[in-house]
């Protein structure tokens, strides 16, 4: 639940929000329940954006989050609090050059205080459709209560993971943006990565620094007013401190999509994903192809009905060795968007 409001003739945009959730997991063995995990979270946030002029804006905010959990082996409710404060400056010092610089302070009730930052830059060469972009930043993630206290998989000795990453790339447009292709190189180093292992079963910190690097290639094409195509490929090389491949990190991932608007208020989308060269449990997992589709219809202003299908080819595949995944599945529902005025 949230609200947005503006001050100073629209120059100061404000957002207040609160959210909550509850998750309950039950473990069964031969149809007999032998374990459970009950977790909850509540979060409040304020965000403000002050626009000095068309070339300079400041974003700042704060959030507070409390998580709680209990299990069949620890009925005492464990809790953790996380207070965050952040700010980001956004500017266009010269035409076509866009810069952002931001920082965040996280104060964790169990693991202490962590500072992170992110700097980005993009330059669109005037009179062309060529854009260069880059970013650099750090990250922090504390282990969740499930990773710490779950009866079967939790490990109370987990430590937070921290990371440093950067990327750089170029995007080229054609025909006034109707067609675009982009290439990006990235690197990410993660210290104390929180991972899952089958032996001994459960969560653990990967010793040393996990290194990821790779290349992303993406493209879009707006063929007509009612038909567009998207596509992308990501190559990722992920290894631990001993130069051993990281489990469950696909080396090759392809994705493609078709978006169709055959008539007013009707939208169709078909996606295909191909994942290849994944290792887990000391061996390779089978490659797989997933096909999904979605159709929606706006039957009243702001109201849409949709039906969505996933794994329509009914692929038998695994993302974690010996753990099943859903077969062909169909979902349906309603969405509502309130008018902005």
């Amino acid at each position: 639940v949230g609200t947005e409001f503006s001050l100073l003739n629209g120059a100061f945009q404000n957002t207040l929000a609160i959210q909550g959730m509850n998750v309950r997991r039950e473990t069964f063995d031969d149809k007999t329940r032998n374990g459970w995990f009950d977790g909850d979270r509540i979060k409040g946030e304020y965000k403000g954006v002050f626009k000095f002029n068309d070339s300079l804006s400041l974003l700042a905010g704060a959030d507070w989050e409390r998580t709680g959990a209990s299990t069949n082996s620890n009925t005492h409710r464990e809790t953790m609090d996380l207070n965050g404060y952040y700010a980001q400056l956004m500017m266009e010092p010269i035409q076509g050059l866009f810069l952002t610089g931001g920082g965040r302070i996280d104060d964790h009730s169990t693991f202490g205080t962590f500072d992170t930052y992110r700097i980005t830059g993009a330059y669109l060469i005037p009179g062309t459709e060529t854009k260069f972009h880059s970013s650099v930043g750090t990250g922090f993630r504390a282990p969740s209560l499930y990773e710490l206290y779950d009866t079967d998989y939790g490990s109370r000795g987990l430590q937070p993971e921290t990371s440093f990453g950067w990327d750089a790339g170029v995007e080229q447009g054609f025909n006034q943006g109707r067609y675009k292709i982009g290439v990006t190189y990235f690197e990410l180093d993660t210290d104390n990565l929180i991972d899952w292992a089958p032996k001994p079963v459960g969560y653990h910190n990967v010793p040393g620094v996990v290194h990821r690097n790779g290349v992303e290639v993406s493209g879009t094409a707006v063929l007509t007013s009612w038909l567009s195509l998207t596509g992308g490929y990501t190559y990722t090389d992920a290894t631990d401190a001993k130069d051993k491949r990281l489990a469950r990190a696909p080396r090759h991932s392809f994705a493609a999509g078709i978006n169709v608007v055959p008539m007013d208020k009707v939208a169709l989308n078909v996606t295909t994903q191909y994942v290849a060269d994944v290792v887990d449990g000391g061996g390779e997992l089978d490659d797989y192809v997933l096909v999904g589709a979605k159709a929606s219809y706006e039957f009243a202003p702001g109201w849409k009905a949709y039906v969505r299908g996933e794994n329509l080819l009914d692929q038998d595949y695994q993302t974690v060795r010996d753990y099943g995944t859903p077969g062909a599945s169909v979902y349906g529902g309603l969405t509502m968007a309130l008018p902005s005025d």
Side-chain angles (χ1 to χ4, degrees), residues 263-286:
M263 62 185 69
D264 188 32
K265 300 182 180 181
V266 175
L268 306 174
N269 170 259
V270 179
T271 59
T272 301
Q273 181 185 23
Y274 172 59
V275 176
D277 197 356
V278 183
V279 296
D280 192 19
E284 291 190 9
L285 299 180
D286 292 337

Side-chain angles (χ1 to χ4, degrees), residues 117-138:
Y117 68 87
R118 181 172 173 81
I119 301 171
T120 71
Y123 182 59
L124 177 63
I125 300 176
T128 74
E129 295 186 53
T130 304
K131 181 172 70 174
F132 296 93
H133 60 85
S134 182
S135 71
V136 61
T138 58

Side-chain angles (χ1 to χ4, degrees), residues 296-309:
S296 64
Y297 173 64
E298 186 177 10
F299 60 89
W303 286 86
K304 290 184 179 180
Y306 70 88
V307 59
R308 184 181 80 250

Side-chain angles (χ1 to χ4, degrees), residues 6-279:
S6 61
L7 303 171
L8 304 177
N9 295 322
F12 190 19
Q13 301 289 332
N14 299 266
T15 302
L16 286 168
I18 186 171
Q19 56 181 274
M21 66 176 296
N22 176 265
V23 175
R24 185 173 180 87
R25 294 185 173 97
E26 297 184 2
T27 305
F28 294 86
D29 185 10
D30 290 335
K31 299 182 180 181
T32 300
R33 192 183 80 164
N34 58 4
W36 55 266
F37 175 92
D38 197 359
D40 57 80
R41 181 181 69 188
I42 184 170
K43 181 178 180 179
E45 179 181 18
Y46 165 78
K47 180 178 67 176
V49 180
F50 186 80
K51 186 175 182 180
F52 297 95
N53 52 51
D54 291 338
S55 302
L56 183 64
S57 299
L58 174 66
L59 179 152
D63 50 48
W64 167 83
E65 177 181 288
R66 169 167 290 179
T67 53
S70 57
T71 70
N72 60 289
S73 62
N74 182 17
T75 56
H76 170 72
R77 186 172 180 269
E78 304 285 351
T79 62
M80 291 193 304
D81 290 349
L82 182 63
N83 300 305
Y85 315 92
Y86 57 90
Q88 177 175 280
L89 192 65
M90 301 161 283
M91 65 181 74
E92 185 183 1
I94 61 175
Q95 182 181 359
L97 177 62
F98 303 92
L99 302 174
T100 70
R104 179 180 174 92
I105 299 174
D106 283 297
D107 184 13
H108 197 282
S109 60
T110 301
F111 298 105
T113 302
F114 291 80
D115 303 331
T116 53
Y117 68 87
R118 181 172 173 81
I119 301 171
T120 71
Y123 182 59
L124 177 63
I125 300 176
T128 74
E129 295 186 53
T130 304
K131 181 172 70 174
F132 296 93
H133 60 85
S134 182
S135 71
V136 61
T138 58
F140 150 77
R141 186 177 83 84
S144 69
L145 288 173
Y146 182 80
E147 293 167 335
L148 287 167
Y149 298 113
D150 177 66
T151 303
D152 297 311
Y153 304 132
S155 175
R156 301 193 179 199
L158 288 176
Q159 295 298 311
E161 61 181 37
T162 57
S163 61
F164 171 82
W166 68 275
D167 63 74
V170 60
E171 181 182 277
Q172 179 64 55
F174 304 93
N175 196 10
Q176 297 181 337
R178 288 187 60 185
Y179 308 97
K180 291 182 180 179
I181 185 169
V183 180
T184 300
Y185 175 81
F186 64 88
E187 290 194 10
L188 177 65
D189 289 335
T190 306
D191 193 18
N192 280 333
L193 175 73
I194 300 171
D195 200 7
W196 186 89
K199 293 181 181 180
V201 63
Y203 292 99
H204 70 287
N205 288 112
V206 178
V209 177
V210 170
H211 178 72
R212 297 180 179 92
N213 70 283
V215 177
E216 294 180 344
V217 181
S218 62
T220 60
V222 181
L223 302 180
T224 68
S225 60
W226 54 271
L227 177 63
S228 63
L229 306 176
T230 61
Y233 163 71
T234 301
Y235 169 83
T236 304
D237 183 30
T239 56
D240 62 17
K242 297 181 179 180
D243 204 31
K244 180 182 177 181
R245 281 194 62 186
L246 190 66
R248 300 177 295 280
R251 180 162 282 175
H252 304 284
S253 179
F254 301 83
I258 301 175
N259 304 294
V260 183
V261 184
M263 62 185 69
D264 188 32
K265 300 182 180 181
V266 175
L268 306 174
N269 170 259
V270 179
T271 59
T272 301
Q273 181 185 23
Y274 172 59
V275 176
D277 197 356
V278 183
V279 296

